[in-house]
Amino acid sequence: MKRFGIVAAFAVRHLSPSDAWILPVVPSFQKNQYPARAVRLFAENENEAATVSLSNDDVSVPYDAASRLAYETSDKSLDYEEFRSVYEEEAIAFVKSKQPQKETGEAVPAEKEQQPSNSAPASTTSEEEQVPAVKQADVSEDTVSATVRDMTVEAPSTDVMVEKSPSVDDARSGSSNDLINDFCQGTNEFWKGLVIQPVKDYVAIQPAGTAPSDPWSKLTAPPEIPGISRPVWLVILGSVPTALGWYGYYKFSIEEELYQYELQQEGRVSGCGGYGTLFPFVYGVIVGFPLSVLGIPLGDLLLESAAFWILAGQVNLYRRVNELCTEDETIMKSLNLTQAPLYEWWALLPPPLDVVVGLRQVHFLSEYWRVIRQNESEGKDVIAQDLFPFISSDRFTLRQFFLEPKRWFWFTSEWEDLEQLKEYWKE
């Protein structure tokens, strides 16, 4: 009787791609005494049949055929399910122990070789009784050959590649994480396709420092990455004389800068960019207003949809500014913050409270880009830091805003709190 075992290496999805194949090996426990026989088995997962290609014919066998064969030739001291679990674990460990030799050509020390076995682990570890971890059964070579022949599995003459199935958990997680990203990128690309080429060429994203630092150049500069620091005084300078016309360009620029910055830093986005945020609103107004004047119901729907879209984008903008300003302690310290600077939902408040949070967003986004670009030459934003303290102060509640005059203007910065009203307006 010749004594040797049958080892089946079951590749599972948690192994590396190079392990995604099955190679049962028939080795001798006495080295170089008998030639090894190799049989390739391929399986997609533990719940499907293993399939091999033999010339032009496909032959299917049970996925656990190798472990059942080993079990039948064992002493059956364990029940089959327990035996199979031990057998597969040792088979996988055996294949992994061969990785250095397979991938780099380095020899694997003999003492590190670990072979799967056909029974329960040995209970003794004395030097005289050191044998494979699981007792091997005595099986004749003819018996093994006959059994393998009955399984109609032979070693293929050429390698057959088995495509590794993607992890279900990975696919589900990736789908969930990328849903917003796919929507935002798709929206941006769709509306970008509706813009004429000269406009796209002019507003194409540029590297930081492309535009000069003088006010006029900043007002007319295309978006940059990292973004341009546009302080409150500059935004007012561009918006007031143009009846908020330039503010539309500001909105486009900061959204596109954040979009491209997120894409560069994280490989995904959480906003629709300048094209996806501004142009649905612009086209909604351009088409909806004349239809509304003509009394066509679709016009009102378009106008309301455009207003909702730009408002939702503003809330999302505040959320993203909060994330940027609090991404690490160094930035928070540079911005003199102890918490996120904005309440996102304030965008839904009526004027002038929506203007209050809007000016704060302009200030803190400008300061964030200044810190990121390490541009200390911007100087002090007098409007935000001196004339209107509420713009640059730490975050406050509505109650604090109304009862603490020091936050309002430069000439009220020394006023005491309205104590007489506090008892009527409690947190």
Side-chain angles (χ1 to χ4, degrees):
M1 300 284 289
K2 295 181 180 180
R3 180 171 178 155
F4 54 93
I6 298 178
V7 181
F10 288 88
V12 292
R13 286 176 294 199
H14 300 289
L15 297 178
S16 64
S18 61
D19 292 323
W21 49 273
I22 302 174
L23 177 59
V25 182
V26 186
S28 167
F29 285 107
Q30 301 179 16
K31 284 190 174 181
N32 303 323
Q33 183 173 357
Y34 303 109
R37 296 188 175 191
V39 178
R40 290 182 180 267
L41 299 175
F42 300 85
E44 287 189 14
N45 54 56
E46 296 180 352
N47 298 321
E48 297 181 1
T51 305
V52 298
S53 295
L54 303 175
S55 301
N56 295 326
D57 299 324
D58 290 336
V59 180
S60 296
V61 296
Y63 78 94
D64 59 349
S67 59
R68 286 189 179 277
L69 174 62
Y71 180 71
E72 293 300 325
T73 59
S74 73
D75 58 9
K76 298 185 179 179
S77 60
L78 300 174
D79 61 59
Y80 173 67
E81 292 300 327
E82 185 176 357
F83 173 87
R84 181 169 68 90
S85 177
V86 174
Y87 184 82
E88 293 179 2
E89 289 177 2
E90 294 187 355
I92 293 171
F94 178 69
V95 172
K96 285 184 174 181
S97 71
K98 298 296 183 181
Q99 288 301 300
Q101 186 175 13
K102 182 178 72 173
E103 295 178 358
T104 66
E106 299 177 0
V108 180
E111 62 269 21
K112 290 187 179 181
E113 294 187 8
Q114 179 184 357
Q115 298 190 12
S117 46
N118 292 347
S119 183
S123 60
T124 176
T125 57
S126 66
E127 185 175 351
E128 295 179 355
E129 295 178 351
Q130 281 184 349
V131 294
V134 181
K135 181 180 177 182
Q136 305 293 324
D138 291 333
V139 188
S140 69
E141 186 174 354
D142 292 337
T143 302
V144 175
S145 300
T147 306
V148 174
R149 185 169 56 253
D150 291 341
M151 293 167 58
T152 65
V153 178
E154 298 179 0
S157 57
T158 58
D159 291 338
V160 180
M161 300 300 294
V162 178
E163 185 176 355
K164 182 181 177 184
S165 300
S167 166
V168 175
D169 292 337
D170 290 344
R172 184 182 297 112
S173 175
S175 176
S176 175
N177 291 337
D178 290 341
L179 184 60
I180 294 176
N181 170 69
D182 292 343
F183 172 79
C184 291
Q185 291 202 39
T187 302
N188 186 274
E189 290 300 319
F190 172 79
W191 291 99
K192 185 177 181 179
L194 300 180
V195 178
I196 60 176
Q197 192 60 43
V199 173
K200 290 191 288 187
D201 292 340
Y202 180 82
V203 298
I205 200 78
Q206 302 294 321
T210 301
S213 59
D214 63 278
W216 176 254
S217 296
K218 281 190 173 184
L219 288 172
T220 58
E224 295 184 5
I225 181 170
I228 297 174
S229 175
R230 303 175 182 88
V232 173
W233 68 264
L234 182 68
V235 174
I236 294 176
L237 178 64
S239 301
V240 173
T242 60
L244 297 181
W246 181 86
Y247 182 80
Y249 183 67
Y250 167 81
K251 177 69 174 175
F252 171 86
S253 297
I254 62 170
E255 290 285 355
E256 191 66 15
E257 288 171 346
L258 288 173
Y259 178 90
Q260 298 295 338
Y261 187 70
E262 282 184 313
L263 201 58
Q264 181 187 80
Q265 297 295 314
E266 304 175 15
R268 61 188 306 276
V269 296
S270 58
C272 294
Y275 294 99
T277 301
L278 184 66
F279 282 96
F281 172 76
V282 171
Y283 286 136
V285 173
I286 290 176
V287 177
F289 182 73
L291 295 179
S292 178
V293 171
L294 296 174
I296 300 176
L298 179 61
D300 292 335
L301 177 61
L302 288 175
L303 288 175
E304 292 172 1
S305 300
F308 171 80
W309 182 259
I310 202 68
L311 189 59
Q314 197 72 2
V315 173
N316 189 45
L317 172 63
Y318 295 164
R319 177 194 62 80
R320 293 152 74 199
V321 171
N322 278 341
E323 289 182 352
L324 292 174
C325 292
T326 58
E327 61 185 5
D328 63 50
E329 293 295 330
T330 302
I331 290 179
M332 292 183 67
K333 184 177 180 180
S334 299
L335 300 178
N336 296 318
L337 290 174
T338 59
Q339 58 184 331
L342 309 175
Y343 285 112
E344 295 96 328
W345 63 271
W346 278 30
L348 308 178
L349 296 175
L353 294 176
D354 60 338
V355 177
V356 169
V357 69
L359 290 172
R360 287 175 59 80
Q361 169 264 304
V362 170
H363 172 71
F364 285 104
L365 180 59
S366 173
E367 288 294 287
Y368 175 80
W369 289 134
R370 180 185 62 80
V371 171
I372 293 299
R373 294 171 66 147
Q374 299 180 347
N375 188 355
E376 299 295 337
S377 62
E378 291 292 334
K380 186 177 183 181
D381 187 345
V382 176
I383 290 181
Q385 294 173 287
D386 290 340
L387 300 183
F388 301 95
F390 68 85
I391 297 177
S392 58
S393 71
D394 208 354
R395 189 171 69 177
F396 48 84
T397 64
L398 287 174
R399 178 179 183 274
Q400 290 174 320
F401 182 64
F402 282 111
L403 300 183
E404 298 176 3
K406 62 184 179 182
R407 301 180 184 274
W408 299 348
F409 310 104
W410 72 97
F411 58 84
T412 63
S413 59
E414 302 297 328
W415 292 12
E416 295 182 357
D417 296 348
L418 303 179
E419 296 289 344
Q420 65 273 23
L421 297 180
K422 286 187 175 181
E423 58 181 287
Y424 298 105
W425 189 351
K426 297 181 180 180
E427 292 283 4

